[in-house]
Amino acid sequence: MRTRAATLSLSHKGTEFSLNISKNGMELIYTFIFNLINPPMTKLTNNHILGIQRTLFDHIKANITTFSDEFGTDLGEISGELRLKRIVRYYVQNPMFVKSNDSIKITTEYKLQSDFEIHYGVDYQIQIDDKTAVLPSEVLIGNEIPLNNLEIWYKD
């Protein structure tokens, strides 16, 4: 079976523009645009959405075989910051946790099957000091997060 790709090539005012992207890449672009217009992740924080968008951009970029515009042929990196798994995210409300002087540890971990861990993420919603935090599993080390890293995961 042959995979279809979209190819665009044009010249404008002496600049060559070209793009060759797979069908999957086009679908990812549609997903990116749709998510910008109508964000489906209302339970998540702004940092979740940015992390998911970074991952989506990386996946789009991986599906582009040829690119050129007035700035050159390199799409570059959008950010070296956190990427979050975008395919499926499990949302766990009120998990048990322990707060120490310098960290929070989730004690009721939502364990994914090993086959799914590469693509699926887990978000833990906790109430702490009258605030709601939503912690992505990708930032937990040993199910723990330092208190000084918690601020960016509070819901607005």
Side-chain angles (χ1 to χ4, degrees), residues 98-138:
V98 175
K99 180 182 176 189
S100 68
N101 289 337
D102 60 350
S103 69
I104 290 178
K105 181 172 181 131
I106 304 293
T107 57
T108 52
E109 176 186 11
Y110 186 87
K111 193 71 177 148
L112 295 170
Q113 293 179 12
S114 59
D115 294 351
F116 300 130
E117 284 182 292
I118 192 166
H119 297 293
Y120 295 8
V122 178
D123 297 301
Y124 298 97
Q125 177 186 305
I126 63 171
Q127 291 295 126
I128 187 159
D129 300 329
D130 295 323
K131 294 181 183 177
T132 301
V134 183
L135 308 175
S137 56
E138 294 91 334

mmCIF file of all heavy atoms in Angstrom, residues 98-138:
data_model
loop_
_atom_site.group_PDB
_atom_site.id
_atom_site.type_symbol
_atom_site.label_atom_id
_atom_site.label_comp_id
_atom_site.label_asym_id
_atom_site.label_seq_id
_atom_site.Cartn_x
_atom_site.Cartn_y
_atom_site.Cartn_z
ATOM 1 N N VAL A 98 1.014 12.313 49.700
ATOM 2 C CA VAL A 98 1.641 12.724 50.947
ATOM 3 C C VAL A 98 2.437 13.990 50.665
ATOM 4 O O VAL A 98 3.217 14.038 49.707
ATOM 5 C CB VAL A 98 2.588 11.619 51.483
ATOM 6 C CG1 VAL A 98 3.328 12.098 52.712
ATOM 7 C CG2 VAL A 98 1.809 10.351 51.778
ATOM 8 N N LYS A 99 2.216 14.995 51.506
ATOM 9 C CA LYS A 99 2.969 16.244 51.380
ATOM 10 C C LYS A 99 4.035 16.269 52.466
ATOM 11 O O LYS A 99 3.741 16.118 53.646
ATOM 12 C CB LYS A 99 2.039 17.453 51.533
ATOM 13 C CG LYS A 99 2.760 18.776 51.419
ATOM 14 C CD LYS A 99 1.826 19.956 51.615
ATOM 15 C CE LYS A 99 2.580 21.253 51.584
ATOM 16 N NZ LYS A 99 1.752 22.398 51.971
ATOM 17 N N SER A 100 5.288 16.450 52.047
ATOM 18 C CA SER A 100 6.378 16.598 53.004
ATOM 19 C C SER A 100 6.824 18.056 52.981
ATOM 20 O O SER A 100 6.190 18.892 52.337
ATOM 21 C CB SER A 100 7.528 15.660 52.649
ATOM 22 O OG SER A 100 8.136 16.072 51.439
ATOM 23 N N ASN A 101 7.914 18.360 53.639
ATOM 24 C CA ASN A 101 8.412 19.739 53.676
ATOM 25 C C ASN A 101 8.831 20.254 52.304
ATOM 26 O O ASN A 101 8.757 21.447 52.046
ATOM 27 C CB ASN A 101 9.600 19.855 54.637
ATOM 28 C CG ASN A 101 9.161 19.723 56.082
ATOM 29 O OD1 ASN A 101 8.004 19.971 56.403
ATOM 30 N ND2 ASN A 101 10.077 19.305 56.938
ATOM 31 N N ASP A 102 9.274 19.347 51.431
ATOM 32 C CA ASP A 102 9.806 19.812 50.156
ATOM 33 C C ASP A 102 9.215 19.145 48.921
ATOM 34 O O ASP A 102 9.614 19.460 47.802
ATOM 35 C CB ASP A 102 11.324 19.675 50.137
ATOM 36 C CG ASP A 102 11.779 18.229 50.322
ATOM 37 O OD1 ASP A 102 10.951 17.368 50.640
ATOM 38 O OD2 ASP A 102 12.987 17.979 50.140
ATOM 39 N N SER A 103 8.237 18.240 49.096
ATOM 40 C CA SER A 103 7.686 17.567 47.914
ATOM 41 C C SER A 103 6.284 17.012 48.173
ATOM 42 O O SER A 103 5.807 16.977 49.298
ATOM 43 C CB SER A 103 8.603 16.428 47.456
ATOM 44 O OG SER A 103 8.575 15.381 48.401
ATOM 45 N N ILE A 104 5.686 16.586 47.076
ATOM 46 C CA ILE A 104 4.411 15.866 47.124
ATOM 47 C C ILE A 104 4.639 14.538 46.437
ATOM 48 O O ILE A 104 5.235 14.489 45.344
ATOM 49 C CB ILE A 104 3.297 16.649 46.407
ATOM 50 C CG1 ILE A 104 2.945 17.875 47.235
ATOM 51 C CG2 ILE A 104 2.079 15.772 46.168
ATOM 52 C CD1 ILE A 104 1.893 18.745 46.627
ATOM 53 N N LYS A 105 4.165 13.473 47.064
ATOM 54 C CA LYS A 105 4.303 12.142 46.480
ATOM 55 C C LYS A 105 2.913 11.543 46.289
ATOM 56 O O LYS A 105 2.122 11.466 47.231
ATOM 57 C CB LYS A 105 5.143 11.235 47.367
ATOM 58 C CG LYS A 105 5.332 9.854 46.772
ATOM 59 C CD LYS A 105 6.309 9.024 47.553
ATOM 60 C CE LYS A 105 6.440 7.681 46.854
ATOM 61 N NZ LYS A 105 7.778 7.279 46.638
ATOM 62 N N ILE A 106 2.620 11.140 45.053
ATOM 63 C CA ILE A 106 1.371 10.452 44.748
ATOM 64 C C ILE A 106 1.521 9.019 45.241
ATOM 65 O O ILE A 106 2.452 8.315 44.830
ATOM 66 C CB ILE A 106 1.072 10.472 43.229
ATOM 67 C CG1 ILE A 106 1.033 11.907 42.684
ATOM 68 C CG2 ILE A 106 -0.196 9.687 42.909
ATOM 69 C CD1 ILE A 106 -0.102 12.751 43.189
ATOM 70 N N THR A 107 0.615 8.587 46.110
ATOM 71 C CA THR A 107 0.736 7.231 46.682
ATOM 72 C C THR A 107 -0.212 6.235 46.033
ATOM 73 O O THR A 107 -0.077 5.037 46.254
ATOM 74 C CB THR A 107 0.501 7.253 48.205
ATOM 75 O OG1 THR A 107 -0.783 7.814 48.469
ATOM 76 C CG2 THR A 107 1.582 8.067 48.907
ATOM 77 N N THR A 108 -1.175 6.721 45.251
ATOM 78 C CA THR A 108 -2.057 5.814 44.507
ATOM 79 C C THR A 108 -1.809 6.022 43.019
ATOM 80 O O THR A 108 -2.556 6.717 42.336
ATOM 81 C CB THR A 108 -3.551 6.070 44.844
ATOM 82 O OG1 THR A 108 -3.819 7.459 44.666
ATOM 83 C CG2 THR A 108 -3.896 5.647 46.242
ATOM 84 N N GLU A 109 -0.752 5.394 42.547
ATOM 85 C CA GLU A 109 -0.347 5.543 41.151
ATOM 86 C C GLU A 109 -1.326 4.824 40.223
ATOM 87 O O GLU A 109 -1.796 3.724 40.512
ATOM 88 C CB GLU A 109 1.046 4.943 40.958
ATOM 89 C CG GLU A 109 1.528 4.967 39.536
ATOM 90 C CD GLU A 109 2.858 4.244 39.346
ATOM 91 O OE1 GLU A 109 3.306 3.549 40.269
ATOM 92 O OE2 GLU A 109 3.431 4.395 38.266
ATOM 93 N N TYR A 110 -1.638 5.474 39.100
ATOM 94 C CA TYR A 110 -2.434 4.834 38.042
ATOM 95 C C TYR A 110 -1.427 4.156 37.134
ATOM 96 O O TYR A 110 -0.702 4.813 36.387
ATOM 97 C CB TYR A 110 -3.251 5.879 37.279
ATOM 98 C CG TYR A 110 -4.195 5.284 36.270
ATOM 99 C CD1 TYR A 110 -5.480 4.896 36.642
ATOM 100 C CD2 TYR A 110 -3.805 5.097 34.956
ATOM 101 C CE1 TYR A 110 -6.350 4.345 35.727
ATOM 102 C CE2 TYR A 110 -4.674 4.548 34.026
ATOM 103 C CZ TYR A 110 -5.944 4.175 34.419
ATOM 104 O OH TYR A 110 -6.809 3.622 33.509
ATOM 105 N N LYS A 111 -1.358 2.849 37.210
ATOM 106 C CA LYS A 111 -0.346 2.087 36.482
ATOM 107 C C LYS A 111 -0.849 1.715 35.095
ATOM 108 O O LYS A 111 -1.882 1.076 34.951
ATOM 109 C CB LYS A 111 0.011 0.823 37.273
ATOM 110 C CG LYS A 111 1.236 0.140 36.783
ATOM 111 C CD LYS A 111 2.469 0.943 37.123
ATOM 112 C CE LYS A 111 3.709 0.182 36.686
ATOM 113 N NZ LYS A 111 4.786 1.003 36.275
ATOM 114 N N LEU A 112 -0.100 2.134 34.074
ATOM 115 C CA LEU A 112 -0.414 1.804 32.687
ATOM 116 C C LEU A 112 0.278 0.502 32.304
ATOM 117 O O LEU A 112 1.360 0.198 32.810
ATOM 118 C CB LEU A 112 0.068 2.910 31.748
ATOM 119 C CG LEU A 112 -0.601 4.266 31.891
ATOM 120 C CD1 LEU A 112 0.154 5.304 31.075
ATOM 121 C CD2 LEU A 112 -2.041 4.195 31.439
ATOM 122 N N GLN A 113 -0.347 -0.247 31.394
ATOM 123 C CA GLN A 113 0.330 -1.411 30.841
ATOM 124 C C GLN A 113 1.567 -0.930 30.099
ATOM 125 O O GLN A 113 1.559 0.125 29.457
ATOM 126 C CB GLN A 113 -0.594 -2.156 29.883
ATOM 127 C CG GLN A 113 -1.778 -2.795 30.550
ATOM 128 C CD GLN A 113 -2.675 -3.503 29.530
ATOM 129 O OE1 GLN A 113 -2.311 -3.693 28.382
ATOM 130 N NE2 GLN A 113 -3.849 -3.880 29.987
ATOM 131 N N SER A 114 2.624 -1.703 30.140
ATOM 132 C CA SER A 114 3.890 -1.270 29.544
ATOM 133 C C SER A 114 3.762 -0.962 28.050
ATOM 134 O O SER A 114 4.452 -0.088 27.538
ATOM 135 C CB SER A 114 4.983 -2.314 29.780
ATOM 136 O OG SER A 114 4.607 -3.555 29.225
ATOM 137 N N ASP A 115 2.863 -1.656 27.355
ATOM 138 C CA ASP A 115 2.663 -1.390 25.920
ATOM 139 C C ASP A 115 2.125 0.018 25.669
ATOM 140 O O ASP A 115 2.326 0.582 24.600
ATOM 141 C CB ASP A 115 1.666 -2.384 25.308
ATOM 142 C CG ASP A 115 2.191 -3.808 25.314
ATOM 143 O OD1 ASP A 115 3.375 -4.008 25.634
ATOM 144 O OD2 ASP A 115 1.403 -4.713 24.991
ATOM 145 N N PHE A 116 1.423 0.584 26.646
ATOM 146 C CA PHE A 116 0.778 1.879 26.469
ATOM 147 C C PHE A 116 1.586 3.051 27.019
ATOM 148 O O PHE A 116 1.323 4.203 26.686
ATOM 149 C CB PHE A 116 -0.599 1.880 27.126
ATOM 150 C CG PHE A 116 -1.543 0.852 26.566
ATOM 151 C CD1 PHE A 116 -2.241 0.006 27.398
ATOM 152 C CD2 PHE A 116 -1.730 0.717 25.202
ATOM 153 C CE1 PHE A 116 -3.114 -0.951 26.883
ATOM 154 C CE2 PHE A 116 -2.588 -0.224 24.666
ATOM 155 C CZ PHE A 116 -3.280 -1.059 25.518
ATOM 156 N N GLU A 117 2.553 2.772 27.871
ATOM 157 C CA GLU A 117 3.299 3.841 28.540
ATOM 158 C C GLU A 117 3.973 4.808 27.574
ATOM 159 O O GLU A 117 4.099 5.991 27.872
ATOM 160 C CB GLU A 117 4.368 3.252 29.468
ATOM 161 C CG GLU A 117 3.797 2.714 30.749
ATOM 162 C CD GLU A 117 4.885 2.190 31.659
ATOM 163 O OE1 GLU A 117 5.507 1.178 31.313
ATOM 164 O OE2 GLU A 117 5.095 2.824 32.712
ATOM 165 N N ILE A 118 4.387 4.329 26.414
ATOM 166 C CA ILE A 118 5.106 5.185 25.462
ATOM 167 C C ILE A 118 4.218 6.273 24.864
ATOM 168 O O ILE A 118 4.681 7.349 24.525
ATOM 169 C CB ILE A 118 5.781 4.341 24.362
ATOM 170 C CG1 ILE A 118 6.759 5.213 23.580
ATOM 171 C CG2 ILE A 118 4.763 3.696 23.448
ATOM 172 C CD1 ILE A 118 7.708 4.429 22.701
ATOM 173 N N HIS A 119 2.904 6.013 24.761
ATOM 174 C CA HIS A 119 2.005 6.966 24.113
ATOM 175 C C HIS A 119 0.970 7.588 25.052
ATOM 176 O O HIS A 119 0.381 8.601 24.706
ATOM 177 C CB HIS A 119 1.243 6.288 22.969
ATOM 178 C CG HIS A 119 2.128 5.809 21.871
ATOM 179 N ND1 HIS A 119 2.835 6.662 21.049
ATOM 180 C CD2 HIS A 119 2.447 4.564 21.463
ATOM 181 C CE1 HIS A 119 3.542 5.973 20.181
ATOM 182 N NE2 HIS A 119 3.325 4.692 20.413
ATOM 183 N N TYR A 120 0.724 6.992 26.198
ATOM 184 C CA TYR A 120 -0.347 7.443 27.088
ATOM 185 C C TYR A 120 0.234 8.142 28.308
ATOM 186 O O TYR A 120 1.263 7.742 28.834
ATOM 187 C CB TYR A 120 -1.191 6.260 27.559
ATOM 188 C CG TYR A 120 -1.973 5.542 26.488
ATOM 189 C CD1 TYR A 120 -1.813 5.826 25.132
ATOM 190 C CD2 TYR A 120 -2.882 4.557 26.818
ATOM 191 C CE1 TYR A 120 -2.535 5.161 24.158
ATOM 192 C CE2 TYR A 120 -3.610 3.878 25.847
ATOM 193 C CZ TYR A 120 -3.428 4.187 24.517
ATOM 194 O OH TYR A 120 -4.137 3.521 23.558
ATOM 195 N N GLY A 121 -0.452 9.183 28.756
ATOM 196 C CA GLY A 121 -0.043 9.904 29.951
ATOM 197 C C GLY A 121 -1.133 9.866 31.006
ATOM 198 O O GLY A 121 -2.287 9.546 30.725
ATOM 199 N N VAL A 122 -0.749 10.209 32.225
ATOM 200 C CA VAL A 122 -1.683 10.250 33.344
ATOM 201 C C VAL A 122 -1.567 11.616 34.000
ATOM 202 O O VAL A 122 -0.463 12.131 34.185
ATOM 203 C CB VAL A 122 -1.373 9.141 34.382
ATOM 204 C CG1 VAL A 122 -2.332 9.221 35.563
ATOM 205 C CG2 VAL A 122 -1.416 7.761 33.740
ATOM 206 N N ASP A 123 -2.709 12.198 34.326
ATOM 207 C CA ASP A 123 -2.752 13.480 35.035
ATOM 208 C C ASP A 123 -3.443 13.273 36.369
ATOM 209 O O ASP A 123 -4.548 12.729 36.425
ATOM 210 C CB ASP A 123 -3.494 14.524 34.201
ATOM 211 C CG ASP A 123 -2.779 14.793 32.896
ATOM 212 O OD1 ASP A 123 -1.608 15.213 32.954
ATOM 213 O OD2 ASP A 123 -3.375 14.576 31.831
ATOM 214 N N TYR A 124 -2.792 13.711 37.443
ATOM 215 C CA TYR A 124 -3.327 13.574 38.790
ATOM 216 C C TYR A 124 -3.818 14.930 39.274
ATOM 217 O O TYR A 124 -3.032 15.874 39.395
ATOM 218 C CB TYR A 124 -2.239 13.065 39.739
ATOM 219 C CG TYR A 124 -1.708 11.701 39.377
ATOM 220 C CD1 TYR A 124 -0.533 11.558 38.642
ATOM 221 C CD2 TYR A 124 -2.375 10.561 39.782
ATOM 222 C CE1 TYR A 124 -0.043 10.308 38.320
ATOM 223 C CE2 TYR A 124 -1.889 9.289 39.464
ATOM 224 C CZ TYR A 124 -0.722 9.179 38.732
ATOM 225 O OH TYR A 124 -0.241 7.933 38.414
ATOM 226 N N GLN A 125 -5.112 15.036 39.553
ATOM 227 C CA GLN A 125 -5.667 16.281 40.091
ATOM 228 C C GLN A 125 -5.687 16.178 41.606
ATOM 229 O O GLN A 125 -6.301 15.279 42.168
ATOM 230 C CB GLN A 125 -7.087 16.512 39.591
ATOM 231 C CG GLN A 125 -7.698 17.773 40.203
ATOM 232 C CD GLN A 125 -9.154 17.944 39.849
ATOM 233 O OE1 GLN A 125 -9.489 17.959 38.681
ATOM 234 N NE2 GLN A 125 -9.997 18.061 40.858
ATOM 235 N N ILE A 126 -4.995 17.111 42.260
ATOM 236 C CA ILE A 126 -4.963 17.127 43.722
ATOM 237 C C ILE A 126 -5.374 18.498 44.237
ATOM 238 O O ILE A 126 -5.215 19.506 43.553
ATOM 239 C CB ILE A 126 -3.572 16.747 44.278
ATOM 240 C CG1 ILE A 126 -2.507 17.763 43.843
ATOM 241 C CG2 ILE A 126 -3.180 15.331 43.859
ATOM 242 C CD1 ILE A 126 -1.169 17.582 44.517
ATOM 243 N N GLN A 127 -5.920 18.513 45.416
ATOM 244 C CA GLN A 127 -6.244 19.757 46.120
ATOM 245 C C GLN A 127 -5.178 19.959 47.187
ATOM 246 O O GLN A 127 -4.952 19.080 48.022
ATOM 247 C CB GLN A 127 -7.615 19.660 46.792
ATOM 248 C CG GLN A 127 -8.789 19.607 45.850
ATOM 249 C CD GLN A 127 -8.956 20.887 45.056
ATOM 250 O OE1 GLN A 127 -9.008 20.824 43.847
ATOM 251 N NE2 GLN A 127 -9.026 22.029 45.707
ATOM 252 N N ILE A 128 -4.524 21.107 47.133
ATOM 253 C CA ILE A 128 -3.489 21.409 48.118
ATOM 254 C C ILE A 128 -3.537 22.896 48.447
ATOM 255 O O ILE A 128 -3.551 23.733 47.547
ATOM 256 C CB ILE A 128 -2.101 20.966 47.613
ATOM 257 C CG1 ILE A 128 -1.069 21.115 48.704
ATOM 258 C CG2 ILE A 128 -1.700 21.647 46.359
ATOM 259 C CD1 ILE A 128 0.147 20.262 48.492
ATOM 260 N N ASP A 129 -3.629 23.198 49.718
ATOM 261 C CA ASP A 129 -3.697 24.591 50.174
ATOM 262 C C ASP A 129 -4.791 25.365 49.439
ATOM 263 O O ASP A 129 -4.569 26.468 48.947
ATOM 264 C CB ASP A 129 -2.347 25.296 49.993
ATOM 265 C CG ASP A 129 -1.235 24.612 50.771
ATOM 266 O OD1 ASP A 129 -1.524 24.040 51.844
ATOM 267 O OD2 ASP A 129 -0.081 24.634 50.303
ATOM 268 N N ASP A 130 -5.978 24.788 49.331
ATOM 269 C CA ASP A 130 -7.136 25.398 48.675
ATOM 270 C C ASP A 130 -6.915 25.714 47.191
ATOM 271 O O ASP A 130 -7.583 26.580 46.627
ATOM 272 C CB ASP A 130 -7.584 26.671 49.408
ATOM 273 C CG ASP A 130 -8.086 26.363 50.809
ATOM 274 O OD1 ASP A 130 -8.728 25.310 50.990
ATOM 275 O OD2 ASP A 130 -7.828 27.175 51.720
ATOM 276 N N LYS A 131 -5.970 25.044 46.576
ATOM 277 C CA LYS A 131 -5.721 25.204 45.149
ATOM 278 C C LYS A 131 -5.798 23.836 44.485
ATOM 279 O O LYS A 131 -5.555 22.810 45.114
ATOM 280 C CB LYS A 131 -4.342 25.797 44.881
ATOM 281 C CG LYS A 131 -4.168 27.219 45.361
ATOM 282 C CD LYS A 131 -2.776 27.702 45.013
ATOM 283 C CE LYS A 131 -2.536 29.095 45.543
ATOM 284 N NZ LYS A 131 -1.157 29.539 45.278
ATOM 285 N N THR A 132 -6.126 23.853 43.196
ATOM 286 C CA THR A 132 -6.173 22.617 42.418
ATOM 287 C C THR A 132 -4.946 22.552 41.529
ATOM 288 O O THR A 132 -4.698 23.462 40.741
ATOM 289 C CB THR A 132 -7.449 22.562 41.549
ATOM 290 O OG1 THR A 132 -8.593 22.637 42.395
ATOM 291 C CG2 THR A 132 -7.499 21.278 40.739
ATOM 292 N N ALA A 133 -4.199 21.471 41.675
ATOM 293 C CA ALA A 133 -3.046 21.227 40.812
ATOM 294 C C ALA A 133 -3.333 19.979 39.978
ATOM 295 O O ALA A 133 -3.979 19.043 40.454
ATOM 296 C CB ALA A 133 -1.781 21.023 41.636
ATOM 297 N N VAL A 134 -2.878 19.991 38.736
ATOM 298 C CA VAL A 134 -3.014 18.833 37.859
ATOM 299 C C VAL A 134 -1.599 18.447 37.441
ATOM 300 O O VAL A 134 -0.955 19.158 36.678
ATOM 301 C CB VAL A 134 -3.902 19.136 36.636
ATOM 302 C CG1 VAL A 134 -4.077 17.881 35.792
ATOM 303 C CG2 VAL A 134 -5.262 19.681 37.076
ATOM 304 N N LEU A 135 -1.137 17.325 37.972
ATOM 305 C CA LEU A 135 0.250 16.914 37.789
ATOM 306 C C LEU A 135 0.374 15.853 36.706
ATOM 307 O O LEU A 135 -0.159 14.752 36.857
ATOM 308 C CB LEU A 135 0.805 16.354 39.108
ATOM 309 C CG LEU A 135 0.638 17.240 40.337
ATOM 310 C CD1 LEU A 135 1.105 16.515 41.584
ATOM 311 C CD2 LEU A 135 1.382 18.546 40.146
ATOM 312 N N PRO A 136 1.089 16.142 35.620
ATOM 313 C CA PRO A 136 1.294 15.118 34.589
ATOM 314 C C PRO A 136 2.322 14.090 35.064
ATOM 315 O O PRO A 136 3.312 14.444 35.712
ATOM 316 C CB PRO A 136 1.819 15.915 33.391
ATOM 317 C CG PRO A 136 2.359 17.168 33.949
ATOM 318 C CD PRO A 136 1.658 17.431 35.249
ATOM 319 N N SER A 137 2.076 12.852 34.740
ATOM 320 C CA SER A 137 2.988 11.780 35.145
ATOM 321 C C SER A 137 4.401 11.997 34.607
ATOM 322 O O SER A 137 5.374 11.563 35.228
ATOM 323 C CB SER A 137 2.448 10.421 34.684
ATOM 324 O OG SER A 137 2.236 10.407 33.290
ATOM 325 N N GLU A 138 4.517 12.693 33.475
ATOM 326 C CA GLU A 138 5.824 12.920 32.869
ATOM 327 C C GLU A 138 6.753 13.769 33.730
ATOM 328 O O GLU A 138 7.967 13.737 33.530
ATOM 329 C CB GLU A 138 5.672 13.594 31.489
ATOM 330 C CG GLU A 138 5.003 12.737 30.440
ATOM 331 C CD GLU A 138 3.493 12.910 30.376
ATOM 332 O OE1 GLU A 138 2.870 13.295 31.400
ATOM 333 O OE2 GLU A 138 2.927 12.655 29.309
#
